[in-house]
Amino acid sequence: MHHILCGLAANPALESTLVDRLISLADDDIATDLARRADLSRAQAIALADRVGESAVHLAYEGRLTAADIDPSVWPDAALALLDRGVDRPEWARLLAADPVRERREKLAACPGLPSDVVDALAADPDVRVVAELALWTTSGVAARLAAHPHAEVRRAAAGNEATPPAALAALVTGEGLPAARRCLVCDCEETPFVHDPQCPRLDCDLPPGSSCDGSHESTVHAMREAALRNPATPVEAVAGFVDHPSMLLRWALAARQDLPQQACERLASDPAPGVRADLAENPAIDDALIRALADDRDPDVRRRLAHHPRVPLDVLTLLARTAKIGATLLPRIAACTPAEVEELAKSPDPAARVLVAQRRDLPLAIRDRLADDPDAKVVKALAPHPGLSEAQLRAMVDRHGVRVLAKVATNPGAPPALLEDLVRHEPPVQKVFREVARHRGATASALLVCLADRQARRIAAGHPALPPPVVVELLADADRQVAEAAAANPSLPPAVMSDLACRR
């Protein structure tokens, strides 16, 4: 019965009095669904938070609870949610800065616009994790101060903060002008030298896997440098020399930077780690020569990522479309094509080029119609979801290419009900068609009844409003709890049944 009530709590057709009823008996799961309701009134939001305190956080983030509704001593986490949204309540911040629960002070440290006295209190917090969280999110002046903190964990956090001044970030990378850190999380709790077992069996241990300290806090210093190298505010002069660093993670951190000189990009393009080359391949900073060189990379992920580069030449992109698993996606370079380039791709004798442009959903009618008649099934499959295609065109696609295009035709937003009914009865059947039709807004009752016979589609179809009410009621007793929950959330569920379910407990 519990899963039924969860579904009912999400039902958009549930009457307000029944919402009140569910609030009165809500547990964490039911409250989660109730808190997401678009029609929840302020009074109901307050009642739900009173019933299940944890729901107050979601309600606060969604704007259902305001500062006038919240007592921070009763709902401190909801108060934190509003502070995180930028609500100006300095008295709340001062109260929470002294909260005995470390996680709340840590959450507070990430909130914007904190009063200066609260920032000072958090910067002096006895738990270094709170100070580190402040260093990660605070303003420039405070971040500059915390970049020189004696604890390496605080420095690591400051290295990832884009507000940290460039000079401080450069110092964190090079170590120049900074006194050595005195502590790290490892030597705070273990005698050095110590290397943390990645498979550590201790339940009370929260050290990162593989962390280590021999007195130089090496794992934290490494993480600090990695964060600084990824930080776009770190001066490129301080980071470019790491392209040949023995640490793969540090080289990898450089690969996505858009300010690298071409010489550094060239070194990374020959990096032995595929992940480094893959990040570089998508980097807008690389030039055409490097793009063409990476198109021949032996790693498929490098070629796939290169296809997503915003400036990849169309001839290279067509080649990549043949060799890389790009998937059914509109690539940035294709989205930016000029009308002349769209025409050129659509007329290409290479099906791979036509597949690329067929992913666009704003094609001129003449090009769209030409591609709809394409002899290559992959081209038609890419075009099938395009809005505006007629029933005759969609049926012609199915007639010519059969099971290869069936599922994509079913996703077309304009697919008429009669076509959807034919698709679910196609022989041989295509399982994905049932799922697509089950979620299609134009699906009819007869098409949905066929979809119910498929195990995966059944869970989707059970929530479709076109399903006949008697069938929805039957599905409440389904052996699959997900099907039953979806049926309970179906707006076609008769109001009398909703009332009976809500009042049964």
Side-chain angles (χ1 to χ4, degrees), residues 349-380:
D350 190 338
R354 304 198 302 275
V355 167
L356 290 172
V357 75
Q359 296 290 350
R360 288 184 60 139
R361 299 294 174 253
D362 59 349
L363 293 172
L365 297 184
I367 293 178
R368 183 202 68 188
D369 292 345
R370 187 194 317 152
L371 293 175
D373 292 330
D374 200 281
D376 192 288
K378 291 182 180 178
V379 177
V380 175

Side-chain angles (χ1 to χ4, degrees), residues 60 91 114 120 144 190 257 318 367 379 432 454 462:
E91 68 277 13
L114 296 173
D120 291 340
E190 303 288 347
R257 289 188 64 109
T318 301
I367 293 178
V379 177
K432 192 174 181 182
D454 181 81

Side-chain angles (χ1 to χ4, degrees), residues 22-378:
L22 289 182
I23 289 172
S24 70
L25 51 82
D27 59 10
D28 289 349
D29 295 331
I30 297 171
T32 297
D33 288 304
L34 287 170
R36 295 183 180 133
R37 293 188 63 88
D39 60 352
L40 203 67
S41 69
R42 179 188 177 196
Q44 287 172 329
I46 294 172
L48 182 59
D50 279 332
R51 170 73 185 184
V52 181
E54 289 78 2
S55 65
V57 174
H58 178 83
L59 292 166
Y61 270 119
E62 293 298 313
R64 302 300 181 82
L65 293 178
T66 67
D69 303 320
I70 291 175
D71 181 343
S73 64
V74 177
W75 292 330
D77 295 320
L80 278 169
L82 289 187
L83 289 174
D84 190 37
R85 290 183 64 210
V87 171
D88 184 23
R89 283 299 177 105
E91 68 277 13
W92 288 5
R94 294 185 180 98
L95 175 68
L96 291 163
D99 195 291
V101 178
R102 184 262 303 172
E103 288 81 3
R104 290 194 182 121
R105 303 196 308 277
E106 201 170 352
K107 176 72 174 178
L108 177 66
C111 293
L114 296 173
S116 59
D117 58 314
V118 172
V119 172
D120 291 340
L122 294 171
D125 196 277
D127 194 307
V128 72
R129 290 168 292 187
V130 175
V131 187
E133 191 69 11
L134 179 68
L136 182 61
W137 299 106
T138 193
T139 55
S140 177
V142 180
R145 174 160 52 99
L146 293 177
H149 195 277
H151 202 286
E153 185 66 18
V154 177
R155 296 186 182 192
R156 181 202 61 76
N161 187 342
E162 294 186 22
T164 302
L169 290 168
L172 289 171
V173 171
T174 65
E176 296 176 5
L178 278 180
R182 295 199 291 268
R183 305 292 301 174
C184 71
L185 292 179
V186 178
C187 60
D188 277 348
C189 55
E190 303 288 347
E191 290 187 13
T192 57
F194 178 82
V195 178
H196 187 224
D197 182 356
Q199 308 299 325
C200 179
R202 290 163 44 191
L203 298 178
D204 62 340
C205 180
D206 56 3
L207 286 175
S211 57
S212 62
C213 181
D214 60 5
S216 65
H217 325 299
E218 65 271 16
S219 65
T220 309
V221 169
H222 184 280
M224 176 188 71
R225 283 180 172 161
E226 182 180 354
L229 294 182
R230 292 188 184 278
N231 193 331
T234 306
V236 68
E237 300 81 16
V239 306
F242 283 81
V243 292
D244 295 315
H245 196 279
S247 168
M248 181 267 291
L249 291 176
L250 296 188
R251 301 194 309 274
W252 202 339
L254 283 176
R257 289 188 64 109
Q258 299 184 24
D259 56 356
L260 288 179
Q262 283 304 307
Q263 184 177 7
C265 291
E266 291 168 7
R267 300 294 290 270
L268 292 173
S270 60
D271 196 279
V276 175
R277 304 196 307 275
D279 272 14
L280 181 72
E282 209 168 354
N283 190 333
I286 63 175
D287 61 17
D288 284 1
L290 209 49
I291 289 174
R292 293 185 180 277
L294 287 168
D296 294 325
D297 196 279
R298 63 187 180 276
D299 188 87
D301 190 49
V302 174
R303 300 195 302 275
R304 183 186 62 81
R305 297 280 294 279
L306 184 65
H308 289 264
H309 193 284
R311 290 187 295 99
V312 59
L314 291 181
D315 64 313
V316 175
L317 188 53
T318 301
L319 174 66
L320 291 170
R322 296 193 215 113
T323 63
K325 293 183 179 180
I326 297 173
T329 184
L330 177 62
L331 297 172
R333 179 64 181 88
I334 299 300
C337 278
T338 65
E341 288 173 330
V342 169
E343 179 71 28
E344 176 188 350
L345 288 168
K347 288 183 176 179
S348 172
D350 190 338
R354 304 198 302 275
V355 167
L356 290 172
V357 75
Q359 296 290 350
R360 288 184 60 139
R361 299 294 174 253
D362 59 349
L363 293 172
L365 297 184
I367 293 178
R368 183 202 68 188
D369 292 345
R370 187 194 317 152
L371 293 175
D373 292 330
D374 200 281
D376 192 288
K378 291 182 180 178

